[in-house]
Amino acid sequence: MEFRQLQLFVAVAEELHFGRAAARIGMAQPPFSQQIRRLETELGVELLTRTSRRVALTAAGARLLEEARALLARRGDVIHSVQQAASGETGTLRVGFAASSAFGVLPDIVLRFRTRFPKVKLELDDSATLNVGAALTSGELDIAIIRAPFRHEGLTVERLLRERFVLALPARHPRARQQVIALSSLASEPFVLFPRHSAPGMHDLVTSMCLAAGFSPNILQEASSWPSVVGMVEAGLGLTIAPASSQALCPKGVVFRPLSGAPGHAELVVAFPGPRPSPAAQHFRVLAHEAVSRSGRGSSD
């Protein structure tokens, strides 16, 4: 029994006329009638009673009509579901991001994605021990938003935004009154930073900027999450250097000031396996670029 036979049977069962049913399907009547006969033979039952004046459903035919409609509807649902999965409109999308990567950017992207693709389940992983490159290569993650510099064989990496670094310090700190703070003047200040193992690119970039300004940063405390870092700053345990977008997640007791003499820029990148991401990851990639572009944060000098 084939779906095509069921389609023909539903047509004649609804029309109760072979000529009209064949015309509805777009077939000549003789082969149409042969297909119905073949279906009856395969099932071993009579589905229709035929006279020169009328066609009527048997009890078996009435039952098959009910089941055939359900099967054909289910077939349509399956086809639609498969097509949605192929186009990235359903399924699961696993997104990774490192400790220093999200700040005020990721929430915008996630909101846009959930609005456009509500049937896709988003799984976000911000584990401090996550090896993003290995997770993308193995298929544990589909796409990631992380801080540059980042390179990994077999992955495509695209820049989302480039922004200045700023200094975060306690609101009660004497330097908080300054409008701009020279990086070279911070040699004696204690710092709070992400540990290198959780954000090696960010850690090395901040350290190299300090070295270029004439000093090695005195890292008094380390924390793997931004809330912890900024909480330590608020408590007066040290200062931290962070991307300008970090100001979106700032407690009242912390202020941000532009840095002079800080040569580096913070870059946020999107990474995915191969030359092209999966369909759902491609949607996420496009919306990530769109969110950053429309926010006006695509570049900051």
Side-chain angles (χ1 to χ4, degrees):
M1 183 173 62
E2 301 174 356
F3 278 109
R4 179 60 173 171
Q5 290 174 310
L6 292 178
Q7 289 174 324
L8 301 183
F9 172 72
V10 169
V12 72
E14 291 178 345
E15 298 289 346
L16 295 178
H17 189 283
F18 277 84
R20 289 195 300 269
R24 169 174 153 182
I25 294 297
M27 288 180 63
Q29 184 172 335
F32 183 96
S33 299
Q34 290 171 7
Q35 286 293 327
I36 299 300
R37 284 292 187 189
R38 186 176 299 169
L39 177 60
E40 289 178 315
T41 300
E42 290 178 7
L43 294 176
V45 298
E46 185 179 46
L47 299 172
L48 300 159
T49 58
R50 307 160 176 85
T51 68
S52 58
R53 294 185 176 182
R54 64 189 296 267
V55 175
L57 287 169
T58 63
R63 179 61 177 176
L64 180 60
L65 176 60
E66 179 181 342
E67 297 291 347
R69 283 170 170 162
L71 280 171
L72 291 173
R74 176 61 181 154
R75 175 175 179 265
D77 291 342
V78 169
I79 292 173
H80 182 62
S81 177
V82 170
Q83 291 173 337
Q84 282 191 314
S87 64
E89 297 178 42
T90 60
T92 299
L93 181 65
R94 296 155 298 183
V95 180
F97 61 101
S100 63
S101 68
F103 295 139
V105 178
L106 189 65
D108 292 346
I109 300 170
V110 169
L111 178 60
R112 287 173 183 271
F113 189 86
R114 289 195 180 281
T115 301
R116 300 268 189 96
F117 303 98
K119 293 183 180 180
V120 177
K121 178 184 177 183
L122 272 179
E123 294 183 353
L124 304 177
D125 191 342
D126 66 342
S127 170
T129 60
L130 179 66
N131 185 327
V132 175
L136 287 168
T137 302
S138 67
E140 182 182 348
L141 293 176
D142 300 301
I143 195 166
I145 293 179
I146 48 181
R147 287 287 169 185
F150 175 80
R151 292 180 181 86
H152 196 283
E153 186 177 355
L155 301 180
T156 297
V157 179
E158 299 174 345
R159 188 171 79 184
L160 278 178
L161 67 84
R162 183 173 184 264
E163 58 185 331
R164 297 186 306 271
F165 280 104
V166 294
L167 181 70
L169 64 165
R172 62 182 180 276
H173 194 285
R175 291 178 178 267
R177 302 189 190 97
Q178 297 177 232
Q179 294 303 306
V180 179
I181 298 175
L183 179 59
S184 59
S185 69
L186 302 177
S188 62
E189 295 284 355
F191 280 84
V192 181
L193 291 182
F194 289 104
R196 190 178 187 282
H197 68 82
S198 69
M202 177 69 70
H203 189 282
D204 291 350
L205 186 54
V206 169
T207 300
S208 66
M209 285 195 306
C210 292
L211 290 174
F215 69 97
S216 178
N218 175 24
I219 303 174
L220 187 65
Q221 297 285 341
E222 290 185 335
S224 296
S225 70
W226 174 246
S228 296
V229 169
V230 79
M232 290 181 181
V233 171
E234 185 178 23
L237 298 180
L239 317 182
T240 197
I241 297 173
S245 59
S246 64
Q247 298 174 76
L249 301 174
C250 174
K252 292 181 179 179
V254 174
V255 297
F256 290 83
R257 294 292 180 262
L259 278 170
S260 64
H265 286 80
E267 291 190 355
L268 193 64
V269 300
V270 57
F272 49 85
R276 286 186 60 81
S278 67
Q282 170 66 2
H283 295 316
F284 190 89
R285 167 185 169 267
V286 170
L287 291 176
H289 283 285
E290 178 184 298
V292 170
S293 176
R294 293 190 177 182
S295 70
R297 291 179 297 207
S299 177
S300 177
D301 297 324

